[in-house]
Amino acid sequence: MDGMSAPVRENAVPPSRPLLSVEGVTLEYKAPGRVVRATQNVSFDVWEADRFILLGASGCGKSTLLKAVGGFIAPREGRILLDGRPVHGPGPDRVVVFQEFDQLPPWKTVRENVAFPVRASGRLSRKEAAERAEHYIEKVGLSRFAEAYPNTLSGGMKQRVAIARALAMEPRVLLMDEPFAALDALTRRKMQEELLALWEEVRFTLLFVTHSIEEALVVGNRIALLSPHPGRMRAEINSHEWDLKSGGSPQFQAAASRIHRLLFEEAGAADGASHE
Amino acid sequence: MSDILSPGLETMTRAIPPVRPEYERPLEPLAETKGEELLPIYQRLWQYAWLRKSLILICLALLWEIAAKLQGNELLLPSFTASMKALVEDISNGIIPSRAVSSLEVLIKGYAAGVVLAFVLTSLAVSTQVGRDLLSTLTSMLNPLPPIALLPLALLWFGLGQGSLVFVLIHSVLWPLALNMYTGFTGVPETLRMAGRNYGLRGLRYVLLILVPAALPSIIAGLKIGWAFAWRTLIAAELVFGASSGKGGLGWYIFQNRNELYTDRVFAGLIMVILFGLLVENVLFRQLEQRTVTKWGMTR
């Protein structure tokens, strides 16, 4: 199912190197009066058509890491390579879908919101951009709302627009920063389903940040576990065998508790040791 | 109290919901929606803001008329009808329109220059630290300074005529607008900024395509304040020195007629100033808001 049976695209040859390499990245940001270390010496590789998950509790620097890949933050140490070239600044080859609903310019209709970045990044003519926007709006099932302004849409629909916008730019890697965290549980489940269906169809490369173990197992094919304060790599595990249907199975539960142990037990044990 | 707290009684008084039978059933078909019920006519009319406001205006005009009749001195307080007559007269013989046009011409020049300067100053302020410091220092220094206070200096530098009027107008527009624009720019959500940069937008394109529309509610508020300041300043400035420039504006019209004790014409001039202010505020800016920020749901 995964990867092997993908519709043949321009690179039928299996890739010889990872699409995105994060090599020993240490990230720091300035808080008033001090420098906070968000991640320390983090390395991972994302391959073409991966659904790569960064999973960890809050404070593990996963969102900061994603922003660094997006080019919004420069690493203090280490480097980030996309197609073998270091990343400098934000660009349309790495599009981010944020958690916040205000990522959509409210002065543009759904159609304009999806078409505008394609135009702005200067790769397509107006007509081609409009056609591509049409295509991806249809893919996320919002054709009926193409002329609506974002303020009239529900949260789930706004996130669909953001996903359509990101896909329309056909980035090398799609970055998602807890995109469904602000949605209600029913909508979140629906959006996960739709995202996976889109991946089946389009085979984009996804780097996905979440703090939900279930979401990580369901959405991802490989999960990187980060420990907090500062973010350090704890483990990388495979999760390609799980999908939305495997929710309640004992194996799924076992995988979930394994992740839970990896993320939390160490810290708990350390706390216990310090009390003794 | 102690009885309730004793264990035996506690279990007896604790409520337990009954277990009821479950059921599943097909969904009820959608009910026919009734057409909206019409409110009585007076309630519907009352919902129109312009109607309510016109009613207030009519009451004010009536009060004015009564006060003038009671006072009975045309030189001090001409009646509403006399003032309206003078207004209609001077509009139809072209005096007021030509004065209004001459005021407007100066106003537009000063306003446009002020807006452009405010834009440059705020763009500097959002992109560099020095620009930020410059803007905050200049606005805190010059914003409280009444434009009219600069008029003597302006007259000295630019002489009598449009030059000095435009100078004080720029002063009256620039600072409040720059302050509002800057507040608007800094209030643009971080995610929207990142999304804009993600598109690959940089420099002026980033400012024009992301920051300006995102800050539009504040920018329009600034434009409105700037407009009100400019209009007031202009009329006041014309009152001061319109005398020596060849053709004056509305302020000069008011001043001239007061000198000749045509008090009804003074009132006509004042009404014109008010009407013009209302027109710009309620038609021009209202339209601008409805077509942009209200439609986009950025303000209510």
Side-chain angles (χ1 to χ4, degrees):
Chain A
M1 267 298 278
D2 47 279
M4 303 326 282
S5 65
V8 178
R9 290 170 63 176
E10 57 264 52
N11 46 354
V13 198
S16 57
R17 63 162 185 217
L19 175 69
L20 175 76
S21 299
V22 172
E23 296 175 354
V25 165
T26 297
L27 294 167
E28 290 175 348
Y29 59 89
K30 284 201 194 93
R34 68 210 170 98
V35 174
V36 179
R37 175 160 290 200
T39 70
Q40 176 188 310
N41 193 24
V42 170
S43 303
F44 61 86
D45 287 331
V46 179
W47 293 74
E48 176 103 39
D50 253 347
R51 287 164 286 137
F52 197 97
I53 311 283
L54 297 174
L55 175 64
S58 52
C60 74
K62 53 195 190 304
S63 285
T64 317
L65 207 51
L66 193 87
K67 283 182 187 123
V69 175
F72 297 103
I73 301 167
R76 186 80 183 74
E77 279 164 34
R79 53 185 197 157
I80 299 168
L81 301 174
L82 182 70
D83 288 321
R85 283 185 301 276
V87 157
H88 286 301
D93 54 349
R94 287 152 285 129
V95 183
V96 191
V97 174
F98 298 94
Q99 174 187 337
E100 293 86 355
F101 296 147
D102 57 14
Q103 63 185 300
L104 300 175
W107 59 91
K108 291 186 183 299
T109 62
V110 169
R111 187 192 305 283
E112 291 163 348
N113 249 303
V114 178
F116 171 67
V118 183
R119 278 283 294 154
S121 55
R123 288 175 297 175
L124 290 183
S125 74
R126 185 177 297 272
K127 189 163 162 289
E128 287 168 315
E131 276 166 15
R132 197 190 275 184
E134 201 71 42
H135 176 73
Y136 283 103
I137 290 170
E138 200 248 301
K139 277 234 185 313
V140 296
L142 285 180
S143 297
R144 274 178 53 220
F145 299 93
E147 301 308 325
Y149 284 93
N151 68 308
T152 62
L153 302 179
S154 68
M157 285 154 92
K158 283 182 194 167
Q159 292 310 80
R160 284 197 191 96
V161 178
I163 292 171
R165 171 175 79 175
L167 289 178
M169 289 167 85
E170 301 192 341
R172 292 293 287 144
V173 51
L174 176 60
L175 309 172
M176 295 184 120
D177 187 3
E178 305 193 28
F180 309 143
L183 301 174
D184 63 277
L186 294 172
T187 314
R188 187 178 315 142
R189 170 98 188 168
K190 186 93 177 35
M191 295 293 291
Q192 290 165 352
E193 251 167 60
E194 289 180 15
L195 182 67
L196 287 177
L198 276 172
W199 180 84
E200 281 295 339
E201 204 179 330
V202 186
R203 291 295 154 130
F204 44 82
T205 309
L206 178 64
L207 181 59
F208 189 104
V209 164
T210 181
H211 58 243
S212 152
I213 295 175
E214 274 73 33
E215 186 167 67
L217 284 169
V218 162
V219 171
N221 67 331
R222 194 166 169 86
I223 305 175
L225 304 181
L226 288 148
S227 285
H229 304 299
R232 284 152 296 168
M233 256 336 181
R234 180 76 175 93
E236 262 191 53
I237 63 172
N238 288 323
S239 58
H240 54 273
E241 53 194 307
W242 315 116
D243 62 16
L244 281 152
K245 289 187 250 359
S246 40
S249 73
Q251 294 89 339
F252 186 84
Q253 293 300 337
S257 46
R258 177 181 166 214
I259 292 176
H260 196 271
R261 199 187 67 237
L262 281 166
L263 282 178
F264 296 107
E265 210 151 82
E266 200 84 330
D271 279 355
S274 68
H275 284 300
E276 281 169 17
Chain B
M1 284 299 280
S2 58
D3 280 347
I4 293 170
L5 288 175
S6 75
L9 274 173
E10 196 190 24
T11 47
M12 284 183 69
T13 53
R14 199 188 277 163
I16 298 166
V19 177
R20 284 139 296 174
E22 297 178 356
Y23 69 83
E24 285 181 19
R25 65 179 177 200
L27 273 182
E28 233 175 75
L30 288 177
E32 289 276 308
T33 46
K34 273 184 238 146
E36 286 163 51
E37 276 178 57
L38 283 176
L39 291 168
I41 182 103
Y42 62 92
Q43 278 192 11
R44 262 183 293 153
L45 286 176
W46 197 243
Q47 284 171 349
Y48 292 108
W50 62 267
L51 205 71
R52 294 195 304 267
K53 285 179 186 169
S54 334
L55 219 69
I56 292 173
L57 281 182
I58 291 169
C59 289
L60 286 177
L62 266 174
L63 277 177
W64 178 1
E65 190 71 28
I66 294 166
K69 283 273 145 39
L70 287 177
Q71 208 259 349
N73 186 340
E74 281 279 302
L75 277 183
L76 287 181
L77 182 63
S79 68
F80 173 71
T81 39
S83 305
M84 286 315 280
K85 222 176 89 193
L87 180 67
V88 171
E89 224 169 70
D90 274 358
I91 285 179
S92 55
N93 64 20
I95 294 177
I96 286 185
S98 80
R99 295 300 169 85
V101 164
S102 121
S103 280
L104 264 185
E105 196 191 313
V106 183
L107 182 77
I108 288 170
K109 278 183 195 166
Y111 193 66
V115 170
V116 170
L117 280 175
F119 183 77
V120 171
L121 208 59
T122 12
S123 298
L124 265 178
V126 286
S127 46
T128 65
Q129 180 68 50
V130 180
R132 226 169 350 262
D133 295 342
L134 182 73
L135 179 73
S136 72
T137 316
L138 284 181
T139 44
S140 53
M141 246 167 58
L142 297 175
N143 200 26
L145 190 65
I148 288 297
L150 280 180
L151 197 58
L153 202 60
L155 288 174
L156 196 64
W157 289 348
F158 302 101
L160 297 168
Q162 280 199 357
S164 27
L165 279 178
V166 169
F167 178 78
V168 290
L169 280 184
I170 290 176
H171 172 78
S172 69
V173 177
L174 176 54
W175 310 116
L177 180 57
L179 263 182
N180 267 280
M181 261 190 180
Y182 183 67
T183 318
F185 282 174
T186 49
V188 177
E190 189 58 33
T191 358
L192 196 53
R193 289 164 184 273
M194 287 201 279
R197 284 166 63 202
N198 209 165
Y199 296 172
L201 297 174
R202 249 166 273 284
L204 193 62
R205 261 171 36 105
Y206 172 69
V207 174
L208 287 179
L209 294 175
I210 301 294
L211 290 188
V212 168
L216 208 57
S218 301
I219 293 178
I220 291 181
L223 285 173
K224 271 159 112 172
I225 298 172
W227 146 256
F229 278 16
W231 186 230
R232 269 189 251 175
T233 306
L234 177 67
I235 300 299
E238 282 176 351
L239 280 171
V240 174
F241 85 100
S244 26
S245 76
K247 45 165 195 156
L250 278 175
W252 174 231
Y253 170 87
I254 294 169
F255 187 72
Q256 212 177 18
N257 283 308
R258 194 217 71 116
N259 282 347
E260 293 166 28
L261 286 181
Y262 291 127
T263 319
D264 51 347
R265 293 221 158 82
V266 172
F267 274 93
L270 289 176
I271 290 172
M272 198 61 210
V273 171
I274 292 171
L275 277 181
F276 204 75
L278 284 179
L279 197 77
V280 172
E281 173 83 34
N282 288 324
V283 179
L284 215 77
F285 281 115
R286 183 66 53 80
Q287 279 294 318
L288 182 63
E289 276 179 325
Q290 266 167 10
R291 277 159 199 233
T292 55
V293 288
T294 313
K295 187 167 85 175
W296 304 334
M298 294 168 90
T299 53
R300 255 164 278 283

